[in-house]
Each structure stands twice: as structure tokens, then as C-alpha cells.
Amino acid sequence: MIFRVLAALSFLACGIAPAAPAIAADPVFTDTACPADWPAGVREVRCGTLTVDEARDGSSDRRIDIAVVIVKASTPWRDASGRLLPPVVNFHGGPGGASTPGVGGALRYAQQNPDALAVDQDMIFFDQRGAGRGTPSMDCPGVELTDAGPPSDEDRDGLIACLKGWQAQGVDLNWYNAAVIADDVRDLAQVLGLEKIDLRGGSYGPRIEAAVITHHPEIVRAAVMDSPWPPEGNWAVGTPEQVSAAVRIILAKCAAQAECAARYPDMQARFETEARRWLAGPVTGKDGQTFTVDDLSAFLMDTTYSRVGVRRLPADLDRIISGDLSPVAEVSGNRTYYFEGQHMAHLCREELPFESKARLVAGAAGDPVAEVLVPSLSRLFDVCEAIGETPADPIENAPVVTDIPTLFVAAEIDPGCPPPLTEAAARGYANSQVVIVTNATHGVINASPCTRAMARDFLRDPSAPVDRSCLPPAGTPLDFTLDPA
């Protein structure tokens, strides 16, 4: 501290003032051509790029680009006062996902299903900074990463090298996180001349929605959160127990059905015994292929997220126990679905600094299914320690308190964003409605016409109770996919 004071005085004594921080430049929106292979005539579509400062404190003049697509409403809805509804800004999951590359597919789907896209309100898709079609787009080719973490030490080391490579190119990873993306959303609304917007996102998308609500509530009219990850959630700590709980829910549903129970008896106990075998070392299947506990970890996480995987789980576990490891091999062949650099930039600033490897290990101890997840999740802490991001302000990890009308829709079966997490988060939203969908898995709203209509009706009138009559009642049997006898 003394050195800093003397240094400042020496500048003044010589008549030289310390350099002032750079003044942040204004955001700019530039129209661009939409991809030529997108279908024409389905909706009016506008593509563009939002250019903003990387650093939000004026400390750098580096500028970055964010890809944006605006899909105009086919039949704009007016509220009771006669006003058009504001646009819906869509937030993709991840972190490390992308939104704009999927617009072409959404337009093609809307050719046969007109009610599925931009009917009442314009929809704005954007790739959150650091991912998708923006610049930089921090992919790490050749590195595997799942929601259960890096599946090997080599992948951990590859992530570290990749992130340090982005840092060497001048990218400051501290500016790629939810709070800064919230500023990007404010800037996007400003350059498009929008007084209000609605928010809609899934998975990690609601984490970004929460940041917009926290930092720029004045621009938000209403929000929809699908399978939400709230700011106060722990990314690694508690996740092994959540995966184990999802497995237990699924296998209990199997045990409650005569045919499934007869085909796969005592599956919970049998799989716990199998999990202990994987924890002891690599396992070789009947075909000679060998897999590690990290491969089983990725299989459990991906399978319990998936509507198809959940229905196959008892059959797949039975095959694994018998030595047929093809279900594990199937998942291990596709583990590069993130922009890994953006994913880790988020985790290392706003998630993992509030957790610890010791708590991760302690929470899973004694549950062999949960313990399967620990090694790969532990590697996340190693990556963050190596790249040295500055932890976020604690407010970024705190529950949100707001009166903005919000609809929470969660799945009964969800290893990453389970119903208790949604219900706890919603307590801070004074004008919220919570819907838990029986037998559903991660990503609820677009999975059925019922939930799509629910979200649409909520945004038409956020003050009205949503209609739940089309939902399956609690206790509805899960339709399992059974192997032939």
C-alpha cells in the first residue's frame, strides 16, 4: 500500500497524471446475410452481429462480436391494453452452447409445425460471448468434456493448454460469464431500440436470465425458465448425489411395474455392486474393449438427462452388468458437444470458486453410484487452478430476489437441474409459478405441445395461472424400453 501511494505522488510531482482507463465504446449492431441454406418464406428473419467491448470496465479496447438472429412473429399478439408483446430473448444452455446455428433447423421444423416458432412474439437468438458463431469462439478441438467433467487426465491437460492458448491470444477469460452476458443483453436491447424484453432459456440459460434480472431488471417484463440452473446451485458439489438420485428414481419406477421388475429384478442393488467394480479399476467387456470409471460417469450423466436414455436405463444397466459395455461405448463416442473454452471460463469464475474438491468427495462418500462421478468432476478444479481466473463477486452466486413474473418448468428426472433446486430458487421470485412434469427429463418445454402451449400462454398473460390440465398426473407409469426376452 505504501509503495502505491508513493508511486502516485511521484507521478503528480513530475506533472504526469496516471493514465485514465479507456472509455468503453458504444455497442454496434451490423446486419449480415443469413445462411443461404435456411428455408425462405417461413418467417421474416434478420441476421446480424452485436459488437461490444470485451472488458466492461474500460480497461481494454479489445472488441468482440456476438452472432444474433431475429425471427419476426407470424401473428403478433396484443395484451389486454392493446400493446404488442415485447420480443423474447432466447438463452442457450451449456455454458458453452450456441443458439444461432439451430435457427435453420427451427425454421424447417416450423414449415410443418407453424405454432412452434415465433407466433405471438418476435424471437431473438444470440450466441453468448465466447461461443457459437461469434468472435472469439472458444472451441477446444480434440478435447472431450461432458457435464460430468473431463473424462481423462489427458482431456484435463488439453483443456488447460487450450485455455492458456486463448489467453496467449489476448482473450481475458474473466470477461466471459453470466454477469457480463447480462450487459450484452442490455446493449442488444439498446441498439435494437427495445424498451422491454421477455426472457426464455433452458438449462444454464436460466443462469444467464437470472443475471439479467439481477443487473438489469428494468428491461425485463417476464421470464420463462426451463430445467433451470440457478446462480446458487453447485456445479460439482452435490452433482454425484443428484445423478445417483436420478438413477434411483428411474429404477424405482421400473421396480413398480411388474414386467420391468420381472425382467430386471433387484437392479438398484445389482448396479451398486457393479459400480464398486468400476471404482476398483478399468473394466473390460465381452468384446475386449476396456473402459474406465470416467466412461461410466459420462454414461450415467448423459443417459439420465435423456428421454430415450431414461427409458433404456434398466436394460442398459443389465447389459453392462452382464459384460456388454456397448451402452458405455455409445456415449464415449460423442463427448465434444461444448465450446469448451467458454464452458470453463464460466465455471472457473462464477461456479467452482464457491465450491471445493473436498466437499465434492465428502458428499458422495458411501454411495457407490455417486462416487462414480467424483474423479471426472474433480478434474474441473484442476483446470481452474491452472488458468487462474479471478472469482466472481459473491452476488453472482446468490439466490435471486425479484417480483418479475417468472414461470419455472422442471423435469421430475433431471441429474443436473433437479426439482428441489428449482423449488428452492423460485422462493425468491415473488410472482413465480412452478411446474414439475412427471416422467419428464431435462429440457421440458419443447418436448411436448402441452408445455409449449403453457409457456406461450404464460407470456401472453404472466399474471394468469398456467393451465396444468394437459400434464401427466403424478404416479403415471414411465414407459420403459425393454430388451427382447
Side-chain angles (χ1 to χ4, degrees):
M1 177 62 72
I2 293 175
F3 172 79
R4 291 178 181 175
V5 171
L6 290 175
L9 290 174
S10 67
F11 271 108
L12 294 175
C14 298
I16 305 173
I23 298 174
D26 290 335
V28 175
F29 186 84
T30 306
D31 286 286
T32 61
C34 293
D37 61 346
W38 286 6
V42 182
R43 295 286 188 277
E44 181 185 344
V45 181
R46 179 186 181 189
C47 297
T49 298
L50 175 69
T51 302
V52 295
D53 285 350
E54 180 185 65
R56 286 294 178 170
D57 62 356
S59 60
S60 166
D61 59 2
R62 181 186 177 92
R63 302 276 275 174
I64 64 170
D65 293 330
I66 296 165
V68 179
V69 176
I70 304 167
V71 181
K72 302 294 289 184
S74 60
T75 53
W77 183 268
R78 294 183 182 272
D79 63 20
S81 68
R83 297 185 63 181
L84 290 172
L85 300 185
V88 179
V89 179
N90 289 267
F91 297 81
H92 63 70
S99 182
T100 68
V103 174
L107 290 168
R108 282 185 282 273
Y109 183 76
Q111 287 177 312
Q112 281 73 45
N113 303 273
D115 289 345
L117 177 68
V119 179
D120 300 334
Q121 300 167 266
D122 295 353
M123 302 188 77
I124 301 175
F125 301 87
F126 75 107
D127 298 335
Q128 296 157 24
R129 57 166 55 202
R133 294 164 56 239
T135 305
S137 185
M138 296 189 290
D139 199 15
C140 296
V143 176
E144 295 187 339
L145 177 66
T146 76
D147 286 320
S152 71
D153 288 347
E154 291 75 20
D155 291 308
R156 175 201 60 200
D157 296 343
L159 279 172
I160 293 170
C162 177
L163 288 161
K164 288 188 173 181
W166 286 108
Q167 289 174 322
Q169 294 179 43
V171 173
D172 187 342
L173 299 177
N174 290 295
W175 296 106
Y176 295 82
N177 51 72
V180 186
I181 294 170
D183 290 341
D184 295 338
V185 173
R186 175 206 57 197
D187 286 353
L188 182 59
Q190 174 188 322
V191 296
L192 295 178
L194 304 174
E195 179 183 351
K196 291 285 185 179
I197 56 174
D198 286 345
L199 315 178
R200 175 174 167 172
S203 193
Y204 207 82
R207 174 71 180 82
I208 316 301
E209 292 181 74
V212 177
I213 289 169
T214 297
H215 296 288
H216 304 293
E218 71 284 353
I219 66 173
V220 181
R221 184 192 71 119
V224 174
M225 301 191 179
D226 180 359
S227 305
W229 179 256
E232 66 271 26
N234 288 318
W235 186 268
V237 172
T239 291
E241 298 97 298
Q242 291 171 186
V243 173
S244 180
V247 170
R248 191 174 295 274
I249 289 169
I250 298 162
L251 297 184
K253 288 176 179 286
C254 174
Q257 298 181 37
E259 185 179 3
C260 192
R263 190 75 60 85
Y264 311 113
D266 304 316
M267 183 54 72
Q268 180 68 41
R270 290 169 59 209
F271 181 56
E272 289 178 5
T273 299
E274 179 71 7
R276 292 186 182 96
R277 187 164 76 97
W278 287 74
L279 287 164
V283 173
T284 301
K286 292 177 180 178
D287 62 358
Q289 278 192 287
T290 298
F291 296 94
T292 69
V293 71
D294 298 302
D295 298 313
L296 184 62
S297 169
F299 163 78
L300 289 176
M301 177 66 83
D302 281 16
T303 298
T304 51
Y305 262 135
S306 161
R307 181 173 60 171
V308 173
V310 160
R311 286 158 173 75
R312 286 176 39 184
L313 184 65
D316 282 348
L317 293 183
D318 189 64
R319 292 163 68 188
I320 291 168
I321 292 168
S322 71
D324 176 1
L325 306 187
S326 57
V328 177
E330 183 180 334
V331 170
S332 69
N334 180 27
R335 300 192 297 209
T336 57
Y337 41 77
Y338 281 133
F339 292 87
E340 294 86 2
Q342 197 236 40
H343 182 95
M344 292 307 307
H346 277 259
L347 266 55
C348 293
R349 181 168 170 84
E350 64 193 11
E351 299 287 352
L352 298 179
F354 302 94
E355 307 176 37
S356 73
K357 191 183 292 189
R359 288 171 55 208
L360 166 68
V361 173
D367 178 346
V369 178
E371 288 176 359
V372 165
L373 281 291
V374 170
S376 54
L377 285 167
S378 295
R379 295 188 185 98
L380 294 172
F381 293 94
D382 301 336
V383 175
C384 293
E385 182 179 356
I387 64 170
E389 278 190 76
T390 303
D393 188 289
I395 193 175
E396 308 304 339
N397 201 247
V400 174
V401 177
T402 182
D403 60 1
I404 291 173
T406 303
L407 174 63
F408 292 87
V409 184
E412 181 190 14
I413 304 168
D414 193 330
C417 307
L421 199 61
T422 295
E423 292 164 337
R427 287 196 282 269
Y429 290 71
N431 293 319
S432 66
Q433 301 184 57
V434 178
V435 176
I436 310 297
V437 183
T438 299
N439 291 334
T441 55
H442 192 75
V444 187
I445 289 177
N446 287 330
S448 75
C450 168
T451 43
R452 283 199 298 270
M454 184 181 295
R456 179 179 169 187
D457 289 345
F458 173 79
L459 291 177
R460 283 180 170 182
D461 183 2
S463 66
V466 295
D467 181 6
R468 303 164 190 249
S469 62
C470 60
L471 296 174
T476 299
L478 181 62
D479 183 17
F480 285 101
T481 303
L482 308 180
D483 276 344

